[in-house]
């Protein structure tokens, strides 16, 4: 068995600004597994900076090479792999990279699409779009393009001090679109009056308004505002999801497989949301077409009932790492269920072009 890694640096078509800062490129780690005539790929969604999470590419590579990679040796089923590495606290993005690599391998081995391998597959994903902070006219221009393209939900990034300007400007032009706002933890409970002022914009939800690891104050906030709360960074496992619903901290969850250690926990979280009369959707981390394929397979699951951040990658990158990127038609993205695993064809020339470091693991 051979497992290789490629650290790639992908330039973004447009700068992407959140309350964390502005990205002009995406640096990801791609993994390739070859065994039994099968080649599988996955992507680690950590970044070069520890802003979204304490994990970054350096910590991920350290944890994978020193602790996780040995547990892939016998090609266990993904859930078995997670159980075998449960003694390692946290580092979900590192775990997810290998868990999903095993998902692609086993789905291909069983000659099933990844969406079918996960079960409860409806065959398509319903995409929304995420728009970064920019000058108002630029944001409105991108929203206009998205509406014309048929996106089912528009999400905009906001930050403290700009939220009302952004949302009022959008609602003045688009009073009826399905609109949500992502705060990326930029507020505190002391900002409750400011957050109450956002109720007037009829948002589907406000995403992660308070601290990245908080449940308690989100629960208190949910009783003070009428806008539903969606949690992102605060939900790192199915156990956290159960607690969030138990105390009323949210009614919606943004599931990012990398944040929760992979697809096994993602499915559990989506089921918890459904059982609690809540909602779930699939988020994104500006993945290349390799990582995006996993998001699409999850987003096609019947447990996912809200549009996600699953735009076709042509929106973010002029050139992708796959030859067959996803495309949207009439507001949906169809999954090719005839192709095994993730169904992607990796473009070896593009992978080589954007790789800034690579190597192999000794197993």
């Amino acid at each position: 068995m051979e497992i290789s890694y490629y650290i790639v640096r992908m330039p973004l078509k447009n700068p992407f600004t959140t309350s964390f800062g502005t990205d002009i490129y995406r640096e990801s780690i791609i993994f390739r597994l070859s065994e039994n005539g099968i080649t599988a790929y996955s992507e680690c969604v950590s970044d070069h900076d520890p802003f979204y999470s304490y994990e970054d590419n350096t910590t991920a590579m350290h944890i994978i090479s020193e602790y996780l990679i040995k547990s892939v040796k016998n090609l266990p089923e993904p859930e078995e792999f997670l159980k075998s590495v449960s003694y390692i606290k946290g580092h979900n993005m590192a775990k997810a990279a290998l868990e999903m690599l095993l998902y692609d391998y086993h789905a291909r081995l069983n000659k099933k699409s990844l969406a079918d391998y996960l079960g409860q597959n409806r065959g398509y994903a319903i995409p929304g779009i995420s728009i970064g902070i920019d000058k108002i006219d630029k944001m409105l221009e991108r929203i206009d393009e998205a509406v014309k393209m048929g996106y089912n939900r528009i999400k905009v990034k906001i930050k403290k001090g700009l939220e009302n300007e952004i949302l009022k400007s959008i609602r003045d032009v688009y009073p009826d679109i399905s609109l949500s706002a992502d705060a990326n933890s930029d507020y505190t409970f002391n900002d409750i009056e400011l957050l109450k002022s956002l109720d007037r914009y009829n948002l589907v939800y406000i995403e992660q308004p308070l601290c990245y690891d908080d449940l308690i104050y989100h629960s208190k906030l949910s009783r003070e505002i009428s806008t539903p709360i969606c949690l992102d960074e605060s939900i790192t496992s199915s156990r956290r999801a159960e607690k969030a619903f138990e105390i009323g901290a949210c009614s919606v969850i943004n599931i990012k497989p990398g944040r929760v250690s992979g697809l096994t926990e993602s499915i559990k979280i989506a089921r918890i949301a459904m059982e609690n009369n809540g909602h779930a959707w699939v988020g994104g981390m500006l993945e290349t077409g390799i990582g995006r394929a996993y998001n699409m397979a999850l987003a096609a699951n019947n447990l996912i009932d809200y549009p996600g951040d699953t735009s076709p990658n042509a929106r973010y990158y002029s050139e992708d790492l796959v030859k067959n990127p996803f495309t949207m038609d009439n507001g949906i993205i169809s999954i090719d269920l005839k192709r095994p695993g993730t169904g992607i064809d990796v473009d070896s020339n593009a992978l080589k072009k954007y790789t800034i470091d690579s190597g192999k693991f000794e197993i």
Side-chain angles (χ1 to χ4, degrees), residues 56 66 80 112 156 164 215 221 263 286 294 300 338 357:
D56 61 25
E66 295 296 323
E80 293 175 9
K112 288 186 176 182
V156 294
N164 276 289
L215 294 181
L221 179 64
L263 295 173
L286 298 177
Y294 289 92
K338 296 179 181 179
D357 192 16

Side-chain angles (χ1 to χ4, degrees), residues 148 193 245 250 353:
K148 289 176 179 176
E193 294 303 320
F245 278 107
C250 68
K353 177 179 177 179

